[in-house]
Amino acid sequence: MQNQIIADIFSRFADVLEFKGELGFKINAYRKAARVLSELDEDIEKIWKEKRLEQVPGIGRGLAEKIDAYLSTGQIPQFEKAMLNVPGDLFKLLSIQNYGPKTAALAYKELAVGTLEDLKSALDSGELAKLPGMGEKKVENIRKGLDLLQTSESRISIGLALPLVDGIVEFLKKDKNVKKITAAGSVRRFRETVHDVDILAAAENGAELIQKFSRMPEVSQVLGAGETKGSVVLQDRYQVDLRVVKPDSFGAAQQYFTGSKAHNVRLREIAKKQGYKINEYGIFKGDQKLGGGREEDIYSLLDMQWIPPELREDRGEIEAALSNRIPRLVEREDIRADLHIHSNYSDGHLTLVDMARTVASMGYSYMCFCDHSKAARYANGLDEKRLLKQIEEIKKLNEQLERFTILAGCEVDILPDGSLDFDDSILAQLDFVVASIHLAFKTDPTQRTLAAIHNRYVDVIGHPTGRLLSRREGFEIQMDAVIKAAAQTGTALEVNSYWDRLDLSDLNVKNAVNKDVKICINTDAHAREHLPMMALGVGTARRGWAGKKDVINTMTVEELKQWQKRNRA
DNA sequence: GCCGTTTTCGGCCCGACTGTTTTCAGTCG
């Protein structure tokens, strides 16, 4: 798929246009096309061959011609030409806070600032300060922006951002001035990684609260602090923004600051057509404020369903809400079991009984131990003998339990030749089987996964793409083929909730659910503290439009056993 | 650049904060 490559080209071209001072609308057109392309589930090359490019939203005649040029010759002449007179490091330079396209263009023209090193020299020598419109503070802010770029995390995993938000919310909640407070932005939408953390509060005295916020002990830098908006850096790494509004605007502000930007733009266009105006203070007709205290006010006045935050990405949710087709998404409370949990039989930290007790205390009605198989030597994987011993121990534990069931399963390795690490005669003795790739990532992961899907005992493919958000791309696996095969056999695909995995991703979930493939949301917990990450997996599944019926671990244990018969019979 | 039950031309979301201004431009979300 060349979709992402072309999306990146358009996105870079938008930067170039911005640097050259082109019209904002044109720049937006490129950015929108880049976003649509990167989220498209169909191969752009196929669409191109079938001459359907202009049917893709955001692609018109001009961009279709550029895609055509790229796919036939590997080049876009306009882009090559436009690249000639821009700084080599333009894309890095533009990512510096407080150093926008206008300033970058001026510094390039006057001082030939083309790289991060050039910029640092121009700052140190005082040359930058001599440019028109530059003052002492502006220069200082650019220096801060450059420092921040080099020290801060560019994107934080949702698994790290959520606890950060919770901590700040708890701290600010103690202020009597605060009427309401909540996460907003991409954290509320449960994006897998976030650029910064947004918090929204309702209070009468905004300036006072923002002062308190900017003086929190973890704050290492204050980027701004006004009456409604404060922005700080925590521990030199994480940017956190706080917005404060009056209580009667809280709902409108929640809508506004939850985004996404693309979602909001669409919503405001619709509002405008209907004669309304939306901003962070409310929804208005003329000078009259019609609502804003509750987020539902906005959507209902526009004659559409309220949209869960996880769907607000302009991926079809607005059309669905206008025609009453927003699905009832899976919720954390729907999850009856965690079906991929490790014990100290392999590389988990707890004994079977200790882990089972903890899982049971979380309100689940059953669970499954899935320890590693023997090929996973680094993880103390189980051979046949130890696996059978574990099955026996689980049987005995079940005899002592009421109203909670432990399933005996395994996370069996998919070997480089596509076979599984245990024979079918062993797998047949298990209650539940997750099959995963842990080694030889470059050895034909697609064919190996397909082979595992076709094994009658495999219930779920574990972390199907193998990605680690902070460390590595997934292996090169053809998800469309995997989804198609899973649809045929009824095999489920895992949403692994571990903060660094979130695998499947939201878009892959959406594609799978569209093809009626079942999802299994698991924590892959190796320790007690991993269990609450179920919320991250549920958030990811919701972003993929998954409903309760799409998720197998919302079933009762009896229903699950019935479901397994589709293959095993 | 895209797009069209107001339009094939003329629209294209809306506001806060900062700094350097003396009424506003640049940046950001």
Side-chain angles (χ1 to χ4, degrees):
Chain A
M1 296 249 284
Q2 310 232 48
N3 299 24
Q4 190 57 48
I5 295 170
I6 298 173
D8 289 343
I9 292 173
F10 282 176
S11 169
R12 290 158 72 95
F13 197 50
D15 279 349
V16 172
L17 292 174
E18 197 168 22
F19 176 77
K20 299 205 163 177
E22 276 278 357
L23 215 57
F25 304 115
K26 191 168 169 179
I27 298 163
N28 279 342
Y30 275 93
R31 290 210 201 287
K32 184 183 176 187
R35 180 177 63 81
V36 169
L37 280 176
S38 71
E39 294 178 353
L40 208 60
D41 59 344
E42 208 179 346
D43 192 341
I44 193 71
E45 215 166 336
K46 181 164 178 276
I47 297 174
W48 168 63
K49 280 180 187 153
E50 294 170 4
K51 302 196 186 306
R52 290 186 286 119
L53 283 176
E54 288 186 48
Q55 288 171 28
V56 177
I59 307 288
R61 216 169 108 192
L63 289 181
E65 275 171 13
K66 291 183 178 67
I67 295 173
D68 177 56
Y70 182 77
L71 290 175
S72 17
T73 68
Q75 279 195 342
I76 302 174
Q78 291 95 327
F79 186 61
E80 306 286 324
K81 198 174 154 208
M83 280 298 287
L84 288 178
N85 282 312
V86 303
D89 268 359
L90 176 65
F91 313 114
K92 271 190 214 161
L93 285 168
L94 287 184
S95 67
I96 299 170
Q97 289 242 11
N98 308 310
Y99 193 71
K102 295 284 196 296
T103 316
L106 185 67
Y108 184 61
K109 181 163 171 265
E110 300 296 329
L111 305 171
V113 172
T115 64
L116 296 184
E117 289 71 35
D118 293 345
L119 179 60
K120 189 160 189 312
S121 312
L123 282 163
D124 290 343
S125 67
E127 288 297 315
L128 195 77
K130 291 181 191 159
L131 293 178
M134 281 292 159
E136 200 179 318
K137 287 193 170 175
K138 239 177 180 175
V139 169
E140 210 35 52
N141 283 336
I142 292 169
R143 187 188 295 280
K144 281 184 189 172
L146 183 61
D147 289 345
L148 191 64
L149 178 74
Q150 282 158 349
T151 62
S152 73
E153 305 286 321
S154 60
R155 298 198 73 85
I156 322 163
S157 161
I158 181 77
L160 302 178
L162 269 179
L164 203 66
V165 170
D166 289 344
I168 298 168
V169 165
E170 282 311 308
F171 173 78
L172 293 177
K173 224 183 219 172
K174 290 178 195 145
D175 190 310
K176 282 179 189 146
N177 190 18
V178 173
K179 306 286 182 250
K180 286 177 185 168
I181 184 160
T182 177
S186 43
V187 170
R188 184 166 178 239
R189 301 199 314 277
F190 260 91
R191 255 191 90 163
E192 62 196 29
T193 61
V194 302
H195 177 254
D196 56 15
V197 164
D198 296 299
I199 295 172
L200 173 69
E204 292 297 342
N205 190 337
E208 200 180 294
L209 188 65
I210 285 164
Q211 279 307 310
K212 184 168 187 174
F213 168 73
S214 59
R215 290 191 194 121
M216 292 188 303
E218 308 91 324
V219 170
S220 50
Q221 202 184 115
V222 179
L223 301 171
E227 295 192 354
T228 69
K229 183 181 168 184
S231 187
V232 302
V233 179
L234 294 189
Q235 304 155 24
D236 289 321
R237 298 170 71 182
Y238 310 119
Q239 186 176 332
V240 184
D241 295 340
L242 173 68
R243 304 290 301 233
V244 185
V245 296
K246 300 274 190 279
D248 65 353
S249 294
F250 188 73
Q254 224 183 343
Q255 196 292 311
Y256 192 92
F257 294 117
T258 295
S260 69
K261 191 170 179 173
H263 174 90
N264 284 358
V265 167
R266 288 289 314 281
L267 207 65
R268 276 171 257 154
E269 278 170 7
I270 289 171
K272 200 169 178 177
K273 274 180 194 154
Q274 297 183 14
Y276 298 105
K277 187 180 79 165
I278 308 175
N279 58 26
E280 58 263 61
Y281 303 112
I283 177 162
F284 301 85
K285 198 152 217 170
D287 290 336
Q288 200 191 356
K289 179 169 168 176
L290 302 174
R294 298 177 324 132
E295 201 179 44
E296 290 83 348
D297 297 346
I298 313 289
Y299 291 96
S300 67
L301 273 167
L302 297 179
D303 207 17
M304 61 203 288
Q305 287 176 287
W306 178 81
I307 300 175
E310 294 93 335
L311 299 187
R312 300 182 196 171
E313 298 288 347
D314 189 25
R315 294 178 182 164
E317 74 282 2
I318 288 177
E319 291 73 13
L322 285 168
S323 54
N324 220 26
R325 286 184 293 109
I326 293 286
R328 189 270 196 204
L329 300 178
V330 63
E331 290 172 16
R332 173 64 186 79
E333 290 70 31
D334 295 329
I335 305 292
R336 285 196 160 98
D338 192 337
L339 296 176
H340 181 172
I341 290 180
H342 292 268
S343 74
N344 64 356
Y345 265 80
S346 65
D347 60 346
H349 297 184
L350 296 183
T351 60
L352 294 180
V353 64
D354 285 346
M355 193 54 150
R357 273 198 193 121
T358 311
V359 176
S361 74
M362 299 184 68
Y364 296 120
S365 59
Y366 61 108
M367 66 170 290
C368 182
F369 281 110
C370 287
D371 274 309
H372 290 282
S373 61
K374 57 185 185 288
R377 288 172 192 277
Y378 61 91
N380 187 26
L382 277 61
D383 58 15
E384 288 79 357
K385 198 176 151 197
R386 289 171 63 217
L387 179 66
L388 294 174
K389 180 169 174 262
Q390 188 186 33
I391 294 174
E392 280 311 305
E393 192 181 335
I394 289 173
K395 264 185 195 160
K396 281 186 189 139
L397 277 177
N398 272 321
E399 285 165 12
Q400 302 164 21
L401 292 170
E402 282 179 46
R403 291 193 292 277
F404 189 76
T405 308
I406 307 173
L407 301 181
C410 171
E411 182 180 19
V412 63
D413 250 89
I414 304 173
L415 301 176
D417 68 358
S419 67
L420 297 176
D421 202 12
F422 288 128
D423 289 339
D424 282 2
S425 62
I426 297 287
L427 297 179
Q429 299 180 56
L430 293 166
D431 296 319
F432 194 76
V433 176
V434 175
S436 311
I437 291 180
H438 291 109
L439 32 98
F441 297 155
K442 295 196 172 156
T443 309
D444 213 352
T446 304
Q447 285 309 317
R448 289 161 69 193
T449 302
L450 293 183
I453 284 174
H454 285 289
N455 182 297
R456 60 201 290 215
Y457 296 106
V458 170
D459 296 298
V460 177
I461 300 298
H463 44 73
T465 75
R467 70 165 178 178
L468 293 177
L469 283 168
S470 65
R471 282 179 284 163
R472 66 168 190 239
E473 302 269 317
F475 25 80
E476 288 189 21
I477 187 164
Q478 291 161 10
M479 275 312 297
D480 49 345
V482 169
I483 286 169
K484 197 173 162 192
Q488 279 168 7
T489 61
T491 310
L493 301 180
E494 184 176 65
V495 173
N496 189 299
S497 308
Y498 192 77
W499 68 270
D500 206 21
R501 289 192 181 273
L502 297 178
D503 177 12
L504 299 175
S505 68
D506 53 359
L507 286 170
N508 280 328
V509 172
K510 195 172 185 201
N511 294 339
V513 166
N514 276 342
K515 302 262 159 52
D516 284 327
V517 170
K518 298 289 182 205
I519 298 297
C520 186
I521 311 174
N522 296 320
T523 62
D524 199 355
H526 286 66
R528 207 172 253 139
E529 56 270 26
H530 295 159
L531 292 167
M533 285 195 266
M534 180 61 81
L536 305 180
V538 171
T540 302
R542 287 168 63 85
R543 286 179 59 81
W545 293 60
K548 184 179 175 183
K549 63 168 176 38
D550 299 309
V551 181
I552 62 169
N553 48 326
T554 62
M555 294 192 261
T556 64
V557 67
E558 292 79 16
E559 288 167 341
L560 185 81
K561 284 184 175 166
Q562 192 62 36
W563 172 78
Q564 287 178 305
K565 287 183 185 164
R566 88 219 172 274
N567 268 351
R568 294 197 174 200

